[in-house]
Amino acid sequence: MILFLNFVELTGLSVTRVEVCDIQDKHFLRQRYTFSSSETSFSLDSRPSDAIAIAIRADAPIFVDEKVFLKSNKIDEPAHASDDSEEGQKWAEYLKNLSSEDFGKYKV
């Protein structure tokens, strides 16, 4: 990630936004970076994990298309931990008990 951000900076560009464009089967699809400089602006598609990591490191806002919210509301099954080990169950319990106030407290 750092190498990519260094490249972006050396070319005179900046990451101005990241967009989450679609979701399918509970997986985010079509993440898009938007880059800009004084001369140009353009977008590139990306893997979800890369887009989120770059947005955080570049201090760029993350936008979510309305259809992602609409599609995600259709997921009716309860969440469950895919790691059934004792450690996985501990993390699942910890995450389940997080409140909205807990988000933003910790630095990445």
Side-chain angles (χ1 to χ4, degrees):
M1 295 303 137
I2 301 302
L3 176 63
F4 181 73
L5 286 173
N6 286 342
F7 173 77
V8 168
E9 186 178 312
L10 285 171
T11 59
L13 296 167
S14 61
V15 180
T16 55
R17 67 189 288 148
V18 168
E19 299 172 52
V20 179
C21 302
D22 203 0
I23 187 171
Q24 182 178 16
D25 299 325
K26 300 181 200 173
H27 298 285
F28 293 116
L29 305 173
R30 293 194 52 229
Q31 308 287 321
R32 183 181 305 135
Y33 300 107
T34 300
F35 300 91
S36 65
S37 71
S38 57
E39 294 91 31
T40 188
S41 179
F42 62 93
S43 296
L44 294 174
D45 286 343
S46 167
R47 294 185 317 179
S49 58
D50 291 341
I52 302 301
I54 292 292
I56 291 169
R57 287 172 178 83
D59 199 25
I62 301 171
F63 294 88
V64 180
D65 192 295
E66 186 176 357
K67 71 180 171 185
V68 173
F69 291 111
L70 295 173
K71 285 182 176 182
S72 66
N73 286 337
K74 295 178 183 175
I75 300 171
D76 294 328
E77 62 189 63
H80 69 281
S82 58
D83 181 355
D84 292 331
S85 70
E86 186 177 331
E87 184 71 19
Q89 293 302 319
K90 279 193 225 176
W91 277 107
E93 188 64 28
Y94 171 77
L95 293 171
K96 185 172 118 184
N97 292 321
L98 281 176
S99 70
S100 59
E101 290 80 34
D102 292 326
F103 292 96
K105 267 196 307 203
Y106 306 103
K107 297 283 183 194
V108 178

